[in-house]
Amino acid sequence: MENNRFLKGIFYFLIFMSVILAGTMLKVLESFFKPVVLSVLLASVFYPFIKKLNKRFKIPWLLGIIIVYAIFIVIFFGIGNILSSSVMSIVNSYPRYEERFKTVYSALQDSFAANSDSGLLAFFFDFNKEQSLFENISSQLNILPILKNFAVNFTNFFISFMKSSFLILLLSIFLLLEMKFTKEKIYKSFSSQNSSKIHDIMNRIATDTTHYISIKFFISLVTGILVFLCCLITRIDFPLVWGFLAFVLNFVPTFGSIISWVITTLFAFMQCYPNPFPIIFIAIAVLFINILLGNIIEPRIEGENLGISPFVILVSLSLWGWLWGFLGLILAVPLMVIIKIFCENISYLRPIGILLGSGKNL
């Protein structure tokens, strides 16, 4: 009995050291692992469509891959062209927005100056009349370094993603070709007793991971479309930009939706001030969309069995954000779901899987 406990302790110690080693490798070799991880997740998103085309419509597996990726590439480049046009429109419209900003800036400056001696406002924001509004905000909230770091991280992520896009597509295509023969490979590689168990574990991991990623992708897509429509209805400029921003940032749990809501509302405020209706409508509508889809519909569709502890989510966001920057924030929760499913399907690691969960399905 004591010998078994000793061996079990060594086993968990080796797991801990393996995690440390794996984290070090992920940090050092991030340029290698990022395309691989993204290709696996992309293949997981497209796998159900290709499988449905193959089974329901009897379309050959390779032809199904070609059809799905052709549609994806057309949509990707179409959205990219529209976004680039929107960005150029923003650049061309800079003089008009500069005048709008000066108007809003003057109103806010007068408001801060008039209320700088009031107790509640002075407690949160000590306005200095000799400084500009940006200088006051930067000195009080130290927001400029945060914005610079975010811009640098986002730019680095975008450039790196564009450079690796071809490799990601190539890896995901070859992975999807291999996924058709995974079952046969397992049964030929292992004994009949172990092959069935290994196949069940891999099938559960693949099914649940695909389930989670697909739902997250479509919830984010619906969020982006609804934000786009809200901006279109209220005639907020560049609605596609704000819809795309909501789509991307929705992959970052909690914080992404908040950031998207704040940026969209601030732009609506700058454009529509002093007309309050579009500002209030955008603020309430975007907030309602995020709460409805992210906190009500998404958990019900995913089910409680994929729930992760909120504390673990925050830790994983910090960890993966440190490892891979902005991309790590997007991939943090999907990767934690994969780790949780993997642990739950291996008897020795099941306690770790339970600890990573939210506890609602106990």
Side-chain angles (χ1 to χ4, degrees), residues 287-303:
L287 184 64
F288 176 76
I289 290 169
N290 287 323
I291 292 175
L292 178 65
L293 294 177
N295 297 332
I296 299 176
I297 296 179
E298 183 178 339
R300 289 192 176 184
I301 297 177
E302 289 176 356

Side-chain angles (χ1 to χ4, degrees), residues 90-211:
I90 293 174
V91 174
N92 295 330
S93 304
Y94 173 76
R96 179 165 62 91
Y97 283 101
E98 186 178 18
E99 293 299 323
R100 290 292 308 158
F101 176 77
K102 288 180 179 179
T103 303
V104 177
Y105 166 77
S106 299
L108 289 176
Q109 189 178 40
D110 294 339
S111 177
F112 278 123
N115 298 280
S116 60
D117 296 328
S118 61
L120 184 61
L121 185 60
F123 177 78
F124 288 102
F125 194 91
D126 185 16
F127 186 82
N128 187 348
K129 297 179 182 179
E130 298 180 356
Q131 294 180 339
S132 66
L133 181 62
F134 279 140
E135 291 173 340
N136 276 281
I137 293 175
S138 179
S139 61
Q140 295 295 323
L141 303 179
N142 196 27
I143 198 171
L144 194 58
I146 297 175
L147 292 176
K148 285 183 178 179
N149 291 332
F150 177 80
V152 170
N153 290 334
F154 182 80
T155 303
N156 290 337
F157 159 72
F158 185 76
I159 294 174
S160 176
F161 177 78
M162 292 304 296
K163 287 182 178 179
S164 305
S165 57
F166 177 75
L167 178 60
I168 292 169
L169 289 175
L170 193 64
L171 288 173
S172 60
I173 290 173
F174 277 97
L175 179 59
L176 284 168
L177 290 172
E178 293 287 332
M179 291 173 88
K180 182 181 180 182
F181 306 103
T182 301
K183 184 176 180 180
E184 290 79 1
K185 286 184 175 182
I186 291 174
Y187 278 91
K188 288 185 178 180
S189 300
F190 302 95
S191 62
S192 58
Q193 184 177 1
N194 295 327
S195 58
S196 179
K197 184 177 180 180
I198 293 172
H199 177 261
D200 291 340
I201 292 174
M202 292 187 65
N203 188 53
R204 166 79 196 285
I205 293 173
T207 302
D208 288 351
T209 304
T210 303
H211 177 70

Side-chain angles (χ1 to χ4, degrees), residues 72-82:
F72 169 73
I73 291 173
V74 169
I75 294 175
F76 180 81
F77 280 101
I79 293 176
N81 289 331
I82 296 174

Side-chain angles (χ1 to χ4, degrees), residues 226-239:
L226 292 178
V227 171
F228 165 78
L229 292 176
C230 289
C231 293
L232 200 64
I233 291 171
T234 51
R235 296 183 178 179
I236 301 297
D237 293 339
F238 320 115

